[in-house]
Structures are given as structure tokens and as C-alpha cells.
Amino acid sequence: MAIAGVVVVGLVAGGLWVTRDRSSSPDASPSRAAPASGDAAAQARAIASKLADVDLVGQMLMPFVYGDDPDEVSDSTRELNRARTGAGTPSEIITKYRLGGVILVRRASDDPTAPTNPASNIGSPAQVRKFTDGLQKTAAELPAGVPLMIGVDQEHGTVTRIRDGVTRLPTAMAFGAADDPALTEQAAAVSGAELAALGIDVDFAPDADVIGGPGNTVIGSRSFGADPALVSRQVVASVRGYQKAGVATALKHFPGHGHTDVDSHEAIPVLGQDRSTLEKDDLAPFQAGIDAGSRIVMSGHLDVEAIDPGTPASLSHKVLTDLLRGELGFTGMVVTDGLDMKALTDKYSAGEVAVRAVLAGNDLLLLPPDVRGAQQALLGALKSGRLPRARAVEAVTRVLTVKLASRPAVPGLDTLKSAEHVAAVERAAAAAVTLLRGKCSGALVRGPVTITGGSAESRQFLSAALGRAGVKVGAGGDSIHLTGYLDTAADLRPASVTVATDTPYLLAAAKSPTLLATYGTAESSMNALAAVLTGRAKAPGLSPVPVAGLPRSACS
């Protein structure tokens, strides 16, 4: 049935699941369910309360699936899926487990979350769009009759799953250095619009963690900064920007992963702050994001000694139900951080983690390491009464409410890297560049210049930008050294200019007469750096974290 360019392809209780007519928009992708009338939460409750146990449990699971196509996979990929789930293709896995969601993952060695990313199901934008379209078609045939939730960790910076063919934003810390909520909101809207064009409706971002110091490398430049008020401003702006595009945000990692020096991928970090310090330094940005309307909060695998010592926050009723819901007033969906992290797997089975997580207050289980084990444990807990059906219905109601929330039509792929999007991101990157030592005007280098350090990509971006400004890059002349992710003092080199392209802490040990920070390596950040180096722009940013012996800016 076609109605004004729309084809009805499915029904949900009280609403319609529609796609835009491909004949009128060949680039179109399935829209999320937009209720025709009534309250999304009421409709979600009506659906959830009628689901069979297996469908109820399926809606609480969001695993990774091998393969970059719903149905056509290689023999080796099919065997990997079968070994992991008992089904061969992404579509078969969705059908077998009646899944409520799937996460898209890109494995990269320069990513702090790499140890738990088994492979990649992300390629080109066209591939991602085709993949998500196909997954939604499979989900439409499940008894629940609701769309699939498709999520991704698109934080920008070290944790950026989709890198090719999209507008890449500066890091969160770069936005903290600019500290202009309007620029942050505009850039977040760009990211949200492009994710929506790819068929993705949840971004596991922004990072609401307040960074506590240089020892926390797993968070690092993923944080907006060290000041809770600054982080709160940026979280609010980010949430608002994504909401404009209809993409749900997930504040993470509750109740705060910034004041730790342990990676929960490897072990369980301990938060030793007293309650008042926790509230002041960690909880404030989460409260701000909740008040701004974020639909999702991600629970962290963190031992919060002031609230429930010895129990991971992601499995703690005191943290997720008493604190998050009772005290902070959050009514949306709670999703676990990846359940495949050693902070949990070293102590609990996949099935036991799943049951404990739901009982604690999580509504969606992300990356269960054993999908069948999680499913069977939850079904067994429902049957035995350990997991009350009312709690499962409550969890699924929250998941479905996010899915059924009204949102605009999905944009076409021509949205990606549009001139308007690139310009918005370039403005933000330019506002972030910070001069911590050196002169505040005029050219900082004269060609030819030599570039060392950093990543191959960042050197390539910077070389190209300097070349466009008429500066030759090669041997001799001034030298520019880029410090990158996980660099130490041993990686520093004598240079005319040293630039921090991740956290700026290492600049405290640099001897260069000129010290700059971009906080990231995106092309927009390297373009902004080149403009400052050549004297075509000033460096207006203020370091959002303290760097020993250096001012927030040498020019303020």
C-alpha cells in the first residue's frame, strides 16, 4: 500500500512501521517506527506485555554478528557465527534469538576497546546502509513486529567505528577546549544526521566521564575535560545535537569512568571517592545529560566503593536502581557496557551476568559473549521466578520506547560529508586549537618543514593542509613533532613545534619553544593546526585539563 511516497511494510501495536518509497528516493532507508498516535511508552508497554518469553528475552539482547551482509557471508564467516551463536548469517542470528538489537563494530589496533572487538562488520557507507536495511527487513518478520535497534560507538577520536566516507568530528576533548556549546550542538547534529543516513539509530556517546588525570588512558581524550561544569555543558549540547537528528544518545560510563587508572576491558576499576566527591566530580554531567533528555544511560563495570563496594556498577541494584533511577530521576533505557569485558568475565558466566544485569536495572545487554548462554539463563530465570516477568516487561518497554519514539525521515547518503557538514566541523576544530607555549600571532613555522611522530594519517592530513597553504613539506627547515595516543616521554623528539594530537599531558615534558594541542587527528583538526602554524589563524582554545607547568593557554 503506497501513501504519498510511503510504503507500509509492517504494523506495531497502535502504530505503523514505514519505509520511504524507493521509487521516489532510491537512496532511502527504512525509517524507525513512528507511532501514528498516542504515547510511545504506552504503546511500548502494550507490545511488551503480550510478548512470549523468548521474544521478551530477545528484545533485551544486542550482540555483535560476524559478516557485512545480512544473508551473503563467506564460508569462514558462517562457521564463526555458528561457533558463536549456532546460526550462520546475521539474519539467521536475529531470527534464531528474536534479537532486539545489533551493534556495529570496527576492529582497529589504535582503539582502546580493541581487545573486545572480535572483527568488523563496517565497511563503506553504501555497505553499512545495505546491511542495516537488510537487518531491518529481517526484524520486520519477527513476532514482536518492531524495528531492530542498531547501535554504534561513534564517539569520534580513538573510538570511532565508522571512519570512511563520513564527516569525522574532533574528539570530545577538542570540544572541551573550544567550550562553545553552540558549536558542539551543531557538530553533534552533523554526526547524528550521518548516522541516521546509514540506518543507525543509537550512538553510544557522549562520554560523560570527567577525566581525573593522565593515568586514565582508556578514557583520555574521549572525555570533554577535567571540570564537571564544562563536561556538563558539553554533554547537554551533544545530546541536543543528536536529538535534532533523531538519534538516541547513551551517556557513559555511569557513574563515571574518569577517575580511574584501570581499563575495565582488562580488570574492574575501583572508584574510591567518597559520596560527596562522587556527586561533585562524576555524577553532575550524567544529571545534566538526563535533564537534557538523553534516552539512554550506559552502565560501567566499575566498583563504586561509596555505594556498593565489591559489586560492579553494571550489576548493582544500588547504583542503577536506587541511585540512577531513584535519586537522579532517570526514566529511560539503561544499557550495559560490553558484557565481554574481563571486569565481568573473569568472575561470572555469561548467563549469570545476563540475569544479574537485568535484576540490577539494565534493560539492554550489550555484547553478551555467549548469546545462547545469556538467552537460556534469562529464560530459565523467568521460568523459575528469579527474574519476575514484570521486571522483564519493564525492561523491554523501555527498549521499545526508544525504538518507537518519533523521529524524522532517514536522510539519503548524499548527506554524508556535505559542504554544510564539513564547514560546521571545521569551525569546531578551529576553535579547539590551543597554544600552551610560544608566540600568539604570526607564522609559527617556515618551510620547508619536517613532520615526525603521530599516526600516518595525521601526518598525511597535516602535510596536505600545509601544502595547500604553500608550505613545502620535506627535509630541512622547521620541524613539527606530533605526539599521539599512548605516547610517552620516550617518544618525544627535538622539534621547533610539538603538537599534542591526543591528551596534552605529555607537553609538560616537551622542550620545544612552541607547544600546541589539537586533542585529535581528524582531518578538520589537522587543517585547523595548519592554519595556526602558518599564521592564518590564531589558537583560541583553552586546555580542558591541567598540564603541569603550563597555562591553559599562553594567549589568554
Side-chain angles (χ1 to χ4, degrees):
M1 175 173 60
I3 306 173
V6 172
V7 176
V8 178
V9 297
L11 295 171
V12 296
L16 297 176
W17 181 5
V18 302
T19 65
R20 285 159 55 187
D21 186 347
R22 292 180 179 273
S23 64
S24 62
S25 179
D27 207 18
S29 175
S31 170
R32 305 302 290 160
S37 62
D39 177 69
Q43 295 184 51
R45 281 192 297 273
I47 297 170
S49 63
K50 296 176 182 177
L51 292 179
D53 284 359
V54 68
D55 295 292
L56 204 61
V57 166
Q59 287 296 317
M60 292 187 281
L61 301 175
M62 181 182 259
F64 166 85
V65 292
Y66 289 107
D68 57 9
D69 185 271
D71 305 298
E72 301 296 328
V73 299
S74 67
D75 290 342
S76 60
T77 296
R78 188 181 300 273
E79 289 308 308
L80 286 170
N81 276 329
R82 282 177 175 162
R84 189 178 174 93
T85 68
T89 68
S91 287
E92 290 169 358
I93 296 169
I94 290 169
T95 301
K96 180 180 178 70
Y97 293 100
R98 316 286 178 88
L99 292 181
V102 166
I103 184 170
L104 303 185
V105 167
R106 174 186 181 272
R107 182 173 176 81
S109 60
D110 60 346
D111 186 325
T113 66
T116 53
N117 294 341
S120 177
N121 50 18
I122 291 172
S124 68
Q127 173 270 320
V128 174
R129 176 67 162 268
K130 181 174 181 288
F131 189 43
T132 57
D133 281 3
L135 296 179
Q136 291 293 5
K137 288 180 180 178
T138 300
E141 298 172 359
L142 297 180
V146 293
L148 195 69
M149 182 180 288
I150 300 178
V152 70
D153 288 297
Q154 190 77 347
E155 295 180 23
H156 300 282
T158 55
V159 180
T160 303
R161 302 298 188 228
I162 304 171
R163 302 189 180 192
D164 299 328
V166 297
T167 309
R168 287 168 56 183
L169 274 57
T171 63
M173 192 164 284
F175 285 105
D179 196 17
D180 185 334
L183 290 178
T184 303
E185 184 172 334
Q186 291 166 11
V190 165
S191 179
E194 297 198 2
L195 290 178
L198 297 173
I200 296 166
D201 56 5
V202 171
D203 190 2
F204 295 116
D207 195 313
D209 300 319
V210 177
I211 193 73
N216 190 327
T217 55
V218 70
I219 300 301
S221 60
R222 301 165 67 187
S223 168
F224 289 109
D227 175 21
L230 178 150
V231 175
S232 295
R233 289 192 295 273
Q234 295 301 314
V235 165
V236 168
S238 183
V239 168
R240 288 176 175 167
Y242 278 101
Q243 284 178 333
K244 285 183 177 179
V247 171
T249 54
L251 309 175
K252 65 188 191 186
H253 308 77
F254 188 80
H257 205 322
H259 291 87
T260 66
D261 56 8
V262 172
D263 182 353
S264 53
H265 292 82
E266 301 298 332
I268 185 162
V270 176
L271 300 183
Q273 304 98 307
D274 60 31
R275 178 59 188 266
S276 61
T277 303
L278 184 74
E279 291 178 357
K280 176 174 65 73
D281 291 345
D282 294 276
L283 296 183
F286 287 96
Q287 184 71 74
I290 289 167
D291 292 344
S294 182
R295 295 173 183 165
I296 307 172
V297 169
M298 176 181 284
S299 60
H301 307 318
L302 309 161
D303 182 354
V304 190
E305 291 188 325
I307 299 176
D308 195 0
T311 302
S314 52
L315 305 182
S316 171
H317 191 275
K318 291 180 180 178
V319 173
L320 300 184
T321 302
D322 297 345
L323 174 62
L324 177 58
R325 297 202 184 279
E327 296 185 40
L328 272 63
F330 182 61
T331 60
M333 186 189 94
V334 179
V335 61
T336 66
D337 203 349
L339 296 181
D340 52 359
M341 297 184 187
K342 289 184 178 180
L344 299 183
T345 59
D346 282 351
K347 186 174 181 179
Y348 306 100
S349 70
E352 182 62 17
V353 162
V355 175
R356 286 179 178 239
V358 176
L359 289 173
N362 294 282
D363 306 305
L364 185 67
L365 308 181
L366 186 62
L367 289 168
D370 178 356
V371 182
R372 177 173 171 78
Q375 181 207 45
Q376 292 301 306
L378 289 168
L379 287 172
L382 279 169
K383 185 175 181 180
S384 71
R386 180 186 178 192
L387 174 59
R389 180 174 171 83
R391 169 67 193 114
V393 169
E394 175 187 60
V396 173
T397 295
R398 291 181 181 135
V399 173
L400 298 183
T401 299
V402 174
K403 295 185 184 189
L404 299 176
S406 297
R407 58 175 298 161
V410 176
L413 288 179
D414 55 359
T415 302
L416 305 182
K417 297 192 78 170
S418 68
E420 180 183 5
H421 284 187
V422 171
V425 170
E426 294 275 0
R427 288 192 296 272
V433 181
T434 306
L435 183 77
L436 290 90
R437 185 160 69 210
K439 63 179 185 178
C440 297
S441 62
L444 302 179
V445 296
R446 299 192 184 280
V449 299
T450 303
I451 303 174
T452 59
S455 65
E457 183 184 60
S458 62
R459 294 193 300 272
Q460 179 183 350
F461 285 152
L462 180 57
S463 296
L466 288 171
R468 290 191 295 272
V471 177
K472 183 179 178 180
V473 177
D478 288 333
S479 56
I480 303 166
H481 182 70
L482 308 179
T483 69
Y485 175 62
L486 293 184
D487 276 0
T488 66
D491 299 301
L492 290 172
R493 297 289 181 270
S496 308
V497 180
T498 297
V499 183
T501 64
D502 196 70
T503 57
Y505 300 115
L506 196 56
L507 294 180
K511 305 302 182 183
S512 301
T514 300
L515 303 178
L516 287 161
T518 62
Y519 314 95
T521 61
E523 185 173 11
S524 58
S525 297
M526 294 300 98
N527 290 344
L529 172 62
V532 172
L533 289 170
T534 57
R536 292 182 294 116
K538 294 185 178 182
L542 299 173
S543 177
V545 296
V547 180
L550 293 171
R552 293 186 66 198
S553 169
C555 302
S556 65

